[in-house]
């Protein structure tokens, strides 16, 4: 179903990550209902919001040592707190979406519950409609650098925009925003609102988010998390050149909302929890597409050929 409207209210949740999956689900519900009470129809949470981004990969010593007991224990804890699709944790997110009467886009660490790949996690995004239905399930195509210690490579099955009451919604994870063909696949799927999730949206991530908005002529909801050094795993020692105290932010937020001209609708917010809320004028999409449409009048299909090679992957465990 295609929804036609001129306005949409969107929210980005910027908050400190919780300690475990159950706490994350409770916090997600609290924040979603808060956003919905302010009129939000689309509510966005950061990269691997559940159960939290592994910032220790960049902040702690010995993260990549072979057969290192503390790191193996941390990985096992991440597995225990990751979400299976389908599964009871996803059901709780679906109930939150229904109760909020809003579309949710949530970054998760995904666990494979049954069948092949039970030893692999994925850096994933789920888009859940206001009726609680899973609209899209995207696995990050290529984990970035040290992330490959945690997550496996994803696929293109979730690389698409989906219809929601707020507009057509697409999403990418972090450094996928520097993958030109991934961007083009989403542009060709026809997006109005793009969700850009990051662990924290520092300066270069702001550049990528604004470039995406300008190139795709869409609104971008850039979402970053917050984490203090005191939340780093107790099994590892923070690197003294990167962490000086427990109250220091290792993830600083930086969430923002960007218009289809690449300019900020809501400026970036750092170093504090915040619910970013904006009423978006969807008529601006057509205004900005007058000068650039990378899938239409500014595309030369007789010179360039592009195709996403889909495999037909269904959510892990489905139909077994």
């Amino acid at each position: 179903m295609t929804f036609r409207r001129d306005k949409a209210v969107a929210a980005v949740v910027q908050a400190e990550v919780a300690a475990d999956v159950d706490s994350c689900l409770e916090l997600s519900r609290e924040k979603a209902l808060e956003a919905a009470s302010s009129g939000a129809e689309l509510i966005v949470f950061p990269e691997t919001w559940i159960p939290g981004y592994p910032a220790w990969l960049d902040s702690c010593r010995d993260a990549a040592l072979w057969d290192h007991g503390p790191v193996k224990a941390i990985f096992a804890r991440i597995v225990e707190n990751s979400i299976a699709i389908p599964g009871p944790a996803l059901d709780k997110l679906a109930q939150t979406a229904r109760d909020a009467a809003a579309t949710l886009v949530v970054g998760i660490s995904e666990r494979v519950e049954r069948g092949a790949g039970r030893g692999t996690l994925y850096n994933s995004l789920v888009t859940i409609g206001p009726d609680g239905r899973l609209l899209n399930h995207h696995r990050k195509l290529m984990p970035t650098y040290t992330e490959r210690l945690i997550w496996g490579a994803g696929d293109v099955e979730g690389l698409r925009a989906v219809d929601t009451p707020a507009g057509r919604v697409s999403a990418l994870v972090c450094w996928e925003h520097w993958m030109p063909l991934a961007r083009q696949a989403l542009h060709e799927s026809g997006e109005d609102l793009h969700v850009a999730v990051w662990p924290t949206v520092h300066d270069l991530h702001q550049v990528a988010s604004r470039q995406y908005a300008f190139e795709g002529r869409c609104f971008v909801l850039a979402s970053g998390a917050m984490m203090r050094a005191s939340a780093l795993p107790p099994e590892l020692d923070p690197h003294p050149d990167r962490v000086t105290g427990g109250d220091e932010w290792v993830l600083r937020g930086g969430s923002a909302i960007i218009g289809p001209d690449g300019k900020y609708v809501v400026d970036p917010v750092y170093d504090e929890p915040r619910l970013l809320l904006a009423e978006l004028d969807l008529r601006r999409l057509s205004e900005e597409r007058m000068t650039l449409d990378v899938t239409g009048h500014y595309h030369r299909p007789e010179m360039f050929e592009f195709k996403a090679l889909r495999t037909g992957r269904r959510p892990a465990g489905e139909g077994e």
Side-chain angles (χ1 to χ4, degrees), residues 198-283:
W198 310 84
T200 188
V201 198
H202 60 56
D203 289 349
L204 196 57
H205 297 168
Q206 297 288 343
V207 169
S209 300
R210 294 182 67 186
Q211 152 64 17
Y212 193 100
F214 185 89
E215 177 181 279
R217 287 312 204 239
C218 57
F219 288 96
V220 168
L221 308 173
S223 178
M226 305 193 69
M227 179 188 290
R228 296 184 187 274
S230 57
L232 291 168
E235 293 92 341
L236 296 179
D237 294 324
H239 197 290
D241 291 341
R242 300 195 171 194
V243 178
T244 58
D247 287 335
E248 181 179 350
W249 293 111
V250 293
L251 299 179
R252 300 183 53 216
S255 300
I257 300 176
I258 304 158
D261 57 356
K263 297 178 181 178
Y264 288 113
V265 175
V266 179
D267 289 336
V269 176
Y270 290 98
D271 300 335
E272 63 174 292
R274 181 81 65 86
L275 178 66
L276 282 68
L277 194 74
E279 182 180 78
L280 307 178
D281 183 356
L282 301 182
R283 293 170 298 186

Side-chain angles (χ1 to χ4, degrees), residues 81-100:
N81 287 280
S82 294
I83 289 181
I85 302 175
L90 187 67
D91 292 342
K92 290 183 179 180
L93 285 176
Q95 187 59 54
T96 293
R98 284 191 291 267
D99 292 342

Side-chain angles (χ1 to χ4, degrees), residues 25-35 96:
L25 290 168
E26 291 176 9
L27 183 59
S28 301
R29 179 177 177 81
E30 173 190 327
K31 295 298 182 182
L33 293 178
E34 177 187 350
T96 293

Side-chain angles (χ1 to χ4, degrees), residues 24 39 58 70 78 86 89 141 178 186 201 214-215 239 260 263:
C24 283
D58 299 315
I78 294 174
L141 299 176
W178 282 290
L186 288 187
V201 198
F214 185 89
E215 177 181 279
H239 197 290
K263 297 178 181 178

Side-chain angles (χ1 to χ4, degrees), residues 136-139 141 155-162 168 181-182 184-190 306-314:
N136 202 25
H137 167 208
H138 171 58
R139 290 171 171 172
L141 299 176
D155 52 54
V156 300
E157 296 309 311
L159 209 60
R160 59 197 178 102
V162 294
R168 284 184 62 79
L181 299 185
Q184 185 66 15
L186 288 187
H187 298 334
E188 291 191 1
S189 73
F306 170 67
K307 180 180 180 181
L309 302 176
R310 302 190 184 276
T311 63
R313 183 261 303 165
R314 293 182 297 175

